[in-house]
Amino acid sequence: MKYHIITYGCQMNEADSERIAARLEKNHKKSRGLEGADLIVVNMCSIRKPAVDRVYGLIEKFKKIRKTRKIKTVLTGCILKRDLLKFRREFDEILEQDNKFKNFPEYCPKDTASIPISTGCNNSCSYCVVPHTRGKLKCRDHKEIIKEIKKSVRIGVKKIWLLGQNVNDYRSPSDKSVSFPELLKLADKIDGDFKIFFTSPHPKNFSDGLIKTLADSNHFSGYLNLPVQSGDDIILKRMNRPYTVKKYKDLVRKIRKAMPDINLSTDVIIGFPGETRKQFKNTEKLFKELNFNIAYINKYSPREGTASFKLKDDVPFKEKKRREQILIKIANHG
């Protein structure tokens, strides 16, 4: 039998797909596409509506394939209950997220290893479905993580990605003294030619200790993603992001002072409910001032179950697109 995996979402979903592939490789061969697959696994993400729409589009393809041959379809990933109920009739099997996280073995591609250090999140950003899909924060034991890093380095992996919804909330369940900086220090002691990347930290608790750990590290990649989400204090408050623009800028300055060559990226949401043109201008101003190396720009889309779903999505799509293009131009140093 042959399998094919379709992945939508963040690096956490990509990492989960790697683990699913590792399990399937024992009894299946990989198919190059849908047409040659007997087993199709869709690892989806409910965080943004376009990704959900893509899964709906796949269902029609599955129906056409079933007219000519028998296939089995499996759905897994970050799935809101509402989406789960809609898709349940369309897929042969639904995999539970917690079981997937605990039971699938590590799997390393040749150049990069994506290693989850935690799943779920204890924050309650008003736009985010993660607490509803992956639940509360659950951290992996630091010994398991270090063992997986060592194994990856031993087989020649050059890039180690440590993944979590908020990595700087990490605490090892077997030893609470092992926080995220301590985990990085343990990883840094591993011999080998590799670099450590991670995503994503939260600005609210990006500590001086973490900055020092990164600055002193021999294996830190020098790339840091630090999501700002908005350059306006009122919008940040509506998003339930517990920091101000000033605190974020102070943090960036502190990081750049400790690591002048840091490659800094950010995430931002445009068109959040109630965002005026003046408030967007504050985000535009922030982009110009901080001069990010990379920016991941997302147009707001309401998701049922989140706190912001109760707010009116009052910024027209055309206006969101206009604001997106402005930030893209700045991010590309235009």
Side-chain angles (χ1 to χ4, degrees), residues 164-315:
Q165 301 302 328
N166 179 15
V167 291
N168 44 352
D169 268 351
Y170 176 84
R171 292 277 175 180
S172 174
S174 68
D175 186 348
K176 297 299 182 184
S177 68
V178 181
S179 60
F180 186 57
E182 294 305 315
L183 179 67
L184 290 175
K185 289 176 185 177
L186 291 173
D188 201 48
K189 292 178 182 178
I190 299 171
D191 291 329
D193 179 20
F194 68 97
K195 293 295 181 183
I196 294 174
F197 300 77
F198 57 86
T199 192
S200 282
H202 198 302
K204 72 170 185 177
N205 54 356
F206 203 104
S207 67
D208 291 347
L210 178 54
I211 294 173
K212 186 176 188 307
T213 297
L214 296 176
D216 293 343
S217 173
N218 293 315
H219 291 293
F220 175 52
S221 64
Y223 169 79
L224 176 64
N225 176 256
L226 191 65
V228 65
Q229 305 302 7
S230 176
D232 183 84
D233 285 342
I234 293 175
I235 297 298
L236 284 173
K237 191 171 183 179
R238 284 184 196 157
M239 289 177 167
N240 198 29
R241 300 285 286 182
Y243 53 85
T244 62
V245 173
K246 182 182 182 302
K247 286 184 178 179
Y248 182 90
K249 290 195 292 188
D250 288 345
L251 175 59
V252 169
R253 292 189 185 103
K254 194 181 295 184
I255 290 169
R256 283 178 166 160
K257 183 178 180 180
M259 296 170 281
D261 295 327
I262 194 76
N263 187 347
L264 186 66
S265 75
T266 196
D267 293 13
V268 66
I269 297 172
I270 51 174
F272 191 79
E275 183 187 64
T276 64
R277 289 198 172 199
K278 183 178 179 181
Q279 288 168 332
F280 170 73
K281 279 284 185 183
N282 289 332
T283 299
E284 186 180 341
K285 180 182 176 182
L286 180 75
F287 264 53
K288 290 177 179 177
E289 183 177 344
L290 294 185
N291 194 27
F292 298 107
N293 298 95
I294 305 169
Y296 299 99
I297 303 165
N298 302 292
K299 296 184 289 294
Y300 174 79
S301 61
R303 304 303 296 134
E304 189 170 343
T306 63
S308 66
F309 186 75
K310 299 173 184 177
L311 304 175
K312 185 179 180 182
D313 184 20
D314 55 357
V315 181

Side-chain angles (χ1 to χ4, degrees), residues 143-155:
K143 294 176 184 176
E144 293 178 6
I145 297 167
I146 295 301
K147 182 180 178 181
E148 194 168 337
I149 295 173
K150 286 180 177 178
K151 180 178 178 181
S152 300
V153 172
R154 193 162 55 245
I155 64 174

